[in-house]
Amino acid sequence: MSGLRVVVADDAVLLREGLVRLLTESGHTVVAAVGDGPSLVEAVVEHRPDVAIVDVRMPPSHTDEGLRAAVEARRRVPGTPILVLSQYVEVSYADDLLADRAGAVGYLLKDRVSEVADFLDGMQRVATGATVLDPEVVGQLLVRRRRDDPLRSLTPREREVLGLMAEGRSNTAIARKLVVTDGAVEKHVKNIFTKLDLPPDDEQHRRVLAVLTYLQS
């Protein structure tokens, strides 16, 4: 790939200027170098870069402004390739970046980038639509999803029953499919309602809520 047009967003002046120099010497063009979230969004909207390199923590609160700005930039200019380069893993907004399943997202940890060539290769791959994640980021995303998964408490059989409920099958049809008794299926369904915290109500209504939970997980 020929040289890329890049936006760099990092509030640390020395790191920002170091990235600008590295990218320039590597044949890329830095179209904007900014130090806060709003400026990142403005730069992406104005320049439509091939890729934006973004730190997580920027002014004013130095928490997650960079990632929130990256999410907003992707909303304003859909599909903008974003490479997060940070010391921290912020899983909530990382999930938001990945949510549209459009690819072109990277998340690398500064302390774990050991080779300049690897960093530049990751940036190139993000710019061409790939997803590039540090293994530590992947690990924390998986932990979050397991922790937040409302179905995590279901047994494999209960998940199977819920999947068949999602297909619109009655308890009798599920029993026939699984070669078990109607009573066994009824017991599984009651356990599902309890574990998903669906209080006693109209049975059909609870089935709908359980299926929605299944489809959204």
Side-chain angles (χ1 to χ4, degrees):
M1 176 184 286
S2 58
L4 301 173
R5 299 172 64 256
V6 186
V7 166
V8 174
D10 196 307
D11 68 306
V13 175
L14 291 179
L15 180 58
R16 185 171 70 236
E17 293 305 315
L19 279 172
V20 170
R21 181 173 180 179
L22 169 65
L23 293 167
T24 301
E25 291 178 351
S26 300
H28 305 293
T29 301
V30 178
V31 294
V34 301
D36 59 74
S39 297
L40 165 64
V41 176
E42 292 174 5
V44 167
V45 171
E46 177 181 354
H47 296 287
R48 309 292 173 113
D50 297 314
V51 62
I53 300 173
V54 183
D55 189 17
V56 169
R57 300 189 175 183
M58 291 196 289
S61 71
H62 296 277
T63 53
D64 53 19
E65 283 86 349
L67 265 178
R68 286 192 283 115
V71 171
E72 175 63 14
R74 288 263 286 201
R75 188 188 70 79
R76 298 272 294 275
V77 185
T80 298
I82 300 288
L83 173 58
V84 178
L85 182 63
S86 180
Q87 291 176 286
Y88 312 97
V89 180
E90 173 46 69
V91 292
S92 60
Y93 287 101
D95 259 348
D96 287 346
L97 276 175
L98 294 165
D100 62 9
R101 302 183 184 275
V105 173
Y107 200 133
L108 300 178
L109 299 179
K110 292 176 180 176
D111 293 343
R112 289 167 58 92
V113 176
S114 57
E115 298 288 341
V116 169
D118 291 341
F119 164 71
L120 293 173
D121 176 66
M123 182 187 70
Q124 292 270 11
R125 286 190 287 142
V126 169
T128 58
T131 298
V132 179
L133 301 176
D134 184 280
E136 177 67 20
V137 176
V138 173
Q140 292 201 35
L141 286 171
L142 289 175
V143 167
R144 170 189 168 85
R145 285 172 182 171
R146 282 197 295 269
R147 185 172 64 245
D148 293 348
D149 182 6
L151 306 184
R152 69 189 182 282
S153 62
L154 301 187
T155 66
R157 177 61 95 181
E158 288 163 357
R159 284 175 178 259
E160 190 173 14
V161 169
L162 182 53
L164 292 170
M165 286 168 60
E167 295 177 8
R169 298 177 189 248
S170 66
N171 286 1
T172 300
I174 293 173
R176 191 179 307 118
K177 173 73 174 179
L178 299 180
V179 195
V180 297
T181 66
D182 287 8
V185 172
E186 186 175 334
K187 182 178 178 181
H188 288 313
V189 171
K190 287 181 178 178
N191 288 340
I192 290 168
F193 291 158
T194 299
K195 291 180 179 180
L196 296 184
D197 196 25
L198 299 175
D201 195 351
D202 174 71
E203 168 109 3
Q204 191 59 36
H205 179 62
R206 287 203 289 175
R207 289 180 81 92
V208 170
L209 291 177
V211 167
L212 285 174
T213 301
Y214 173 78
L215 295 175
Q216 292 168 357
S217 66

